[in-house]
Amino acid sequence: MFDMFKVKKFLKLLKQSASEEDYDKAIGYADCILEYDEHNLEALYYKSDCLAKLGDLDGALNVANLVVNLNPSCNNLLIKATLMANKKNYDLAFSIFDEILEKCPHFEEAFINKCHFLYMLKKDDEILELSQKFLHDNPNSPSAFDIPAFIYLQQEEYDKALDCVNKALELNQDREIAKGIKKDILERIG
């Protein structure tokens, strides 16, 4: 019972330190919590995030692996895949992104993150292919339209870009990303 109060106290201090961007202190509080409860997912999440923000991607990934072992949810796999991609271990990261999208085909953040890393690798065709697949499962996703719109804009295929961005705006007329892409398209075609 006494340990539970300590965990609550340390958790409050952990969150406060993380919000103040005192990541070393937050990690210390996470470690205190983990001494009492080694499977405390919230402490593990914070610790992984703080390690990543400090640039310790290996440490963050080690903690993320513990989280995935405790709870292999799509959210937890996304954290691991993103860390792997940030470490430039793209093959493993992309296989995890694919696993997530297979298990959770509507998980837009996994789709967006994979597209981001594909874009960094200049794999436009794979982004377009992934967008088509995601669109098949998610016909009301503005991201499934504005991501290819951006790629088509970069490829100077303005008709395709405009078609995609207009579809994104039909789904969400307030979408700032799509508005920005449309503005760029219209400026380029005059």
Side-chain angles (χ1 to χ4, degrees):
M1 181 76 151
F2 183 68
D3 290 345
M4 190 172 85
F5 289 117
K6 281 187 176 180
V7 168
K8 279 185 157 186
K9 176 185 169 194
F10 285 134
L11 192 55
K12 181 179 177 183
L13 293 169
L14 165 61
K15 291 177 181 181
Q16 180 181 345
S17 297
S19 72
E20 294 171 354
E21 298 181 5
D22 189 346
Y23 302 124
D24 288 317
K25 195 179 224 181
I27 291 167
Y29 289 127
D31 287 338
C32 289
I33 293 166
L34 295 169
E35 284 180 30
Y36 293 103
D37 178 7
E38 66 182 325
H39 297 157
N40 187 300
L41 285 173
E42 196 166 9
L44 290 167
Y45 290 138
Y46 272 98
K47 183 173 181 176
S48 178
D49 186 54
C50 289
L51 287 167
K53 287 178 177 167
L54 289 172
D56 182 359
L57 295 179
D58 289 328
L61 184 59
N62 287 336
V63 176
N65 283 328
L66 291 172
V67 169
V68 168
N69 288 338
L70 292 171
N71 180 6
S73 70
C74 288
N75 283 326
N76 293 338
L77 286 167
L78 177 65
I79 294 167
K80 180 177 179 175
T82 303
L83 285 167
M84 295 300 298
N86 282 325
K87 285 186 49 126
K88 298 183 181 358
N89 188 341
Y90 296 115
D91 290 339
L92 183 56
F94 290 151
S95 71
I96 296 170
F97 282 126
D98 291 342
E99 177 184 345
I100 296 166
L101 291 168
E102 185 69 30
K103 288 181 181 177
C104 307
H106 307 295
F107 196 2
E108 192 167 58
E109 192 174 353
F111 163 69
I112 291 169
N113 283 14
K114 184 173 182 185
C115 286
H116 168 76
F117 290 109
L118 287 169
Y119 181 74
M120 290 176 59
L121 295 172
K122 300 179 183 341
K123 296 191 175 207
D124 293 352
D125 291 339
E126 288 183 41
I127 293 170
L128 294 173
E129 183 180 316
L130 179 60
S131 296
Q132 284 299 314
K133 183 176 181 195
F134 191 75
L135 179 62
H136 180 267
D137 293 329
N138 303 281
N140 295 319
S141 168
S143 295
F145 289 108
D146 59 25
I147 288 174
F150 178 77
I151 297 301
Y152 288 132
L153 173 64
Q154 300 300 307
Q155 295 175 344
E156 299 181 355
E157 294 187 48
Y158 302 122
D159 290 339
K160 289 181 180 179
L162 195 56
D163 182 51
C164 286
V165 82
N166 283 335
K167 288 177 181 172
L169 289 169
E170 284 175 22
L171 294 169
N172 182 348
Q173 64 186 8
D174 297 325
R175 192 162 173 85
E176 293 300 319
I177 293 170
K179 286 180 183 179
I181 294 169
K182 186 169 185 171
K183 182 181 176 198
D184 283 351
I185 295 166
L186 295 175
E187 286 175 1
R188 291 186 189 193
I189 62 175

